[in-house]
Amino acid sequence: VDNHVLDIAKFASIHPGGAHVFANFRAGANDATAAFFALHTTDVLRKYIPRLRVGVLEGAQANDAPSSRDFVNPVGLAPSERPGYATSPYYNASHAAFRKVVRKFTQTEIRDEALANDVTGKAPSSEMFEKLGAHGYLALRLGPSPVLAAVYPGPLPGGIKASEYDYFHELIVAEELATLGTPGYADGIGGGLSIGLPPVAMFGTDALRRKVLPEVLSGKKKICLAISEAGAGSDVANIGCKAELSEDGRHFVVTGAKKWITNGMFADYFTTAVRTSGPGMGGITLLLIERSEGVSTRLIKSMYSSSAGTAYVLFDHVRVPVENVLGKVGQGFKCIMFNFNHERWVMCATIVAYSRVLLDEAMRWAFVRKVFGKALIEQPVIREKLANMTSRIEAAHAWVESVTFQMCQDSKAKHLAGQIALLKAHCSEVMWKCVDDAQQVLGGRGITQSGMGAKVERIAAYAKLGAILGGSEEILRDLGVREMAKETSAVNANNRVSA
C-alpha cells in the first residue's frame, strides 16, 4: 500500500470490519493502494505502519506519513493561503507566519487528545490546559484587548507582540482549531474562556484582573460565561437568578440556576448575570462567582461531545464579595451586550471554518469513491452539491473577513451589533445546508461516528447548536433589522439637520 509492504496475517482477524475486508487486498505482488484508500484515511495508514510494515518496495522511500496520499484540496484552505491567489489586503506577513505556527501546534500538540476525548466525552486534561497556557494559546482566546499586554507580557505564538495581535490573528486560531473536526473538544479548551474572560478583562477591578487573568491564561484555573437559564435564553433581560446584598453590605448572596453553560462542569470561575433589583435589563448585574460552597454543577448531555463540559449550574446561597461586580451594579446588561459582539463573531468564524471542513471532506470523498463505474466527482449531481457548498462558504467567509476588518478599526462601533447578528444567523444557515450536502455526498459514512465520515458526523451534531447558542437565528435577524432601522433613522435625521 503506497509503496509499503504490510504483513496483515495476524491483524486480519482483529480488523474492525472483519477479515473479509482484506479480500480486496489479496493481490499478491499487485498494488493494493487504490483498494485501501477507498475504505481508509491516511490516518489509518500512519497509525498501523509501524507495527505492520515489513519493508518497502525496492527504490521507494520509507515514509511513516506518506505524502503521496495527503490529498491537497484548495477549497479546503482559506482563500488567503491558496496557491495562485493574490495576497489578501486583510493579511500581512505576521498572519502567514502565525498560521503556520498555530497549525503545527494544533496538529502536533492538540490533535491526538482532541480526537480521543471528543469521542469519549472526556474533558480536556489539566495537562493540556497548562500546555496551552504555557505556549500562549489561552491568551489568544481572550482576543485583542488593551489589557492583554499587561497580563501576558511575553510574545504570543509566532513571536507576535500582544499589541500587534488583531482579530485576523484570532480568526486564524478559530480556523485552525476547526480543522480538527472536534467541536465539543474545541469548545472545551477555551470556549468558556473566550466569552467568560473578556468581561473580567474589560470591566473587572484592577485587583480582580491581577488575580484572575494570570490564573486563567496560565491554564491553572478555568472560566465560563453563565447567562442562559431555563426561562431565559435569547431573552437575556428576563433572567431570574437573584443576588441580594448581605446585611453587612460586603457580599451578594446568589440563589438560582443557569443552564447550557459551556465549560461549566470544570470551571473555577463563573461570569454570571444576576438580578440585583427589579424586572427588566436595568435590574441586571454581572458578577464573577468563584466555585465555592453552594456552587454545584451537573452535566447536560447535548447533541455534541460532552468534552465541552456543558452544565447545569446551581447557586445555593453563594456569598460573593461585592468587589466581584463587573462594571457597575444594575449595568450588567450593557456589559453582556458589549461581550456579545465578540462572542457572536467568534461563533461566525468557527461556523464558517467548520463548513469549509465539510466541503473539504466531501470533495476528498468525491475523488475517492466510485459508483456506477465513475468517481463521484464525475457525477453532475454531486458537482452541483459541491458548487452550492462552495458558493455559500466563500460568500460567508468574505462577509466574516469584512466584519473582522471593521472590528480591527473599532470593535466597539455601534453598527457592528446588527451586522454581526445578521452574519451569525447567515453563517449558521450556511452550515446547516452544508451539513446536509456533505452527508448526502458521503452517504452512510456521513452519519457514522467513526471512519472516513467521522468529521462530518461530529460537525453535523454541532450544527444546530450553532443556530441557537449566542442567540437564535430568529432573534438575531430581528435584532439586525432593528439596528439597521436605527441607523437609517439616524442618518436621515442628520441629513434633515444639515439641510
Side-chain angles (χ1 to χ4, degrees):
V1 176
D2 218 11
N3 296 330
H4 300 269
V5 180
L6 309 178
D7 182 357
I8 59 172
K10 296 180 180 179
F11 180 70
S13 62
I14 61 172
H15 187 278
H20 74 279
V21 171
F22 290 95
N24 292 330
F25 304 152
R26 299 186 186 281
N30 295 326
D31 188 3
T33 300
F36 179 88
F37 284 107
L39 297 172
H40 304 85
T41 63
T42 304
D43 290 337
V44 175
L45 193 58
R46 287 193 179 101
K47 180 178 180 179
Y48 289 103
I49 277 177
R51 70 181 79 169
L52 299 180
R53 185 174 63 192
V54 294
V56 295
L57 295 180
E58 185 177 357
Q61 181 179 1
N63 185 0
D64 289 346
S67 58
S68 62
R69 284 290 157 178
D70 285 341
F71 181 94
V72 177
N73 177 19
V75 298
L77 303 172
S80 62
E81 57 170 344
R82 287 186 200 165
Y85 275 57
T87 303
S88 169
Y90 292 132
Y91 301 90
N92 56 38
S94 80
H95 295 111
F98 179 75
R99 187 185 291 276
K100 289 181 181 179
V101 172
V102 173
R103 178 171 296 169
K104 181 179 180 180
F105 187 89
T106 300
Q107 297 299 325
T108 60
E109 302 295 333
I110 301 176
R111 183 175 179 274
D112 289 347
E113 182 174 300
L115 293 175
N117 289 24
D118 204 82
V119 172
T120 63
K122 186 178 179 181
S125 65
S126 297
E127 292 77 12
M128 177 59 72
F129 270 102
E130 293 192 16
K131 180 196 296 184
L132 293 169
H135 288 84
Y137 283 83
L138 293 179
L140 298 179
R141 303 300 293 272
L142 178 61
S145 169
V147 301
L148 182 58
V151 299
Y152 196 86
L156 293 168
I160 62 173
K161 299 177 182 178
S163 59
E164 299 170 341
Y165 183 58
D166 64 22
Y167 289 104
F168 282 103
H169 290 107
E170 190 179 5
L171 174 61
I172 289 169
V173 175
E175 290 175 344
E176 293 304 318
L177 277 176
T179 62
L180 297 175
T182 55
Y185 183 89
D187 279 358
I189 58 171
L193 184 156
S194 69
I195 58 180
L197 193 58
V200 180
M202 295 304 299
F203 305 112
T205 64
D206 289 341
L208 200 61
R209 286 201 297 263
R210 284 196 298 269
K211 176 181 185 294
V212 175
L213 268 67
E215 289 179 332
V216 174
L217 296 181
S218 67
K220 291 180 170 53
K221 293 287 183 73
K222 306 169 191 70
I223 193 170
C224 67
L225 182 69
I227 304 293
S228 297
E229 300 177 4
S234 297
D235 183 12
V236 175
N238 196 44
I239 65 167
C241 185
K242 293 183 179 180
E244 298 178 338
L245 198 61
S246 61
E247 291 185 2
D248 61 9
R250 296 172 59 188
H251 294 84
F252 281 104
V253 181
V254 181
T255 303
K258 298 292 179 177
K259 197 168 185 180
W260 307 292
I261 306 306
T262 303
N263 296 182
M265 279 303 298
F266 43 79
D268 300 288
Y269 293 108
F270 303 80
T271 300
T272 310
V274 297
R275 186 161 299 284
T276 50
S277 58
M281 63 183 70
I284 296 175
T285 298
L286 205 57
L287 281 180
L288 182 68
I289 302 177
E290 190 167 3
R291 189 181 284 268
S292 57
E293 184 179 356
V295 178
S296 60
T297 54
R298 297 203 304 268
L299 180 67
I300 295 178
K301 291 189 176 182
S302 63
M303 294 174 69
Y304 79 151
S305 175
S306 293
S307 57
T310 308
Y312 179 81
V313 183
L314 184 64
F315 300 112
D316 184 9
H317 295 87
V318 180
R319 296 176 67 83
V320 182
V322 294
E323 291 81 8
N324 284 28
V325 170
L326 302 178
K328 297 181 179 180
V329 174
Q331 295 188 15
F333 189 83
K334 293 181 180 179
C335 299
I336 295 168
M337 292 300 105
F338 173 87
N339 197 48
F340 264 147
N341 273 4
H342 181 254
E343 174 185 355
R344 289 167 177 162
W345 172 81
V346 169
M347 293 188 70
C348 292
T350 301
I351 288 169
V352 173
Y354 281 135
S355 298
R356 195 175 293 282
V357 173
L358 293 170
L359 174 59
D360 188 33
E361 292 297 301
M363 183 72 82
R364 290 169 184 270
W365 183 242
F367 272 87
V368 171
R369 175 67 165 168
K370 290 185 178 181
V371 293
F372 305 113
K374 293 182 179 181
L376 282 179
I377 194 65
E378 297 178 45
Q379 305 289 349
V381 67
I382 298 300
R383 293 200 297 269
E384 180 185 20
K385 290 184 181 300
L386 295 172
N388 289 336
M389 293 175 72
T390 303
S391 300
R392 297 185 191 110
I393 291 166
E394 297 301 349
H397 190 268
W399 193 0
V400 167
E401 288 189 325
S402 175
V403 169
T404 303
F405 176 76
Q406 295 299 320
M407 291 180 67
C408 287
Q409 311 313 306
D410 183 4
S411 63
K412 304 181 186 66
K414 291 182 179 179
H415 71 274
L416 282 176
Q419 279 289 301
I420 293 175
L422 291 173
L423 175 59
K424 182 186 174 286
H426 176 71
C427 290
S428 61
E429 184 178 41
V430 165
M431 185 182 189
W432 190 248
K433 290 179 179 178
C434 286
V435 162
D436 186 51
D437 283 338
Q439 289 185 316
Q440 288 300 116
V441 172
L442 273 83
R445 287 172 174 80
I447 57 173
T448 303
Q449 293 182 355
S450 60
M452 300 183 79
K455 278 188 180 182
V456 173
E457 191 279 334
R458 289 193 296 263
I459 294 172
Y462 170 79
K464 201 59 185 176
L465 277 75
I468 295 172
L469 301 183
S472 70
E473 290 179 352
E474 297 80 5
I475 296 295
L476 293 183
R477 288 194 178 97
D478 180 67
L479 170 61
V481 174
R482 284 190 286 111
E483 290 298 310
M484 286 168 54
K486 289 179 184 178
E487 188 176 351
T488 301
S489 297
V491 168
N492 283 282
N494 290 335
N495 287 341
R496 285 193 294 271
V497 171
S498 300

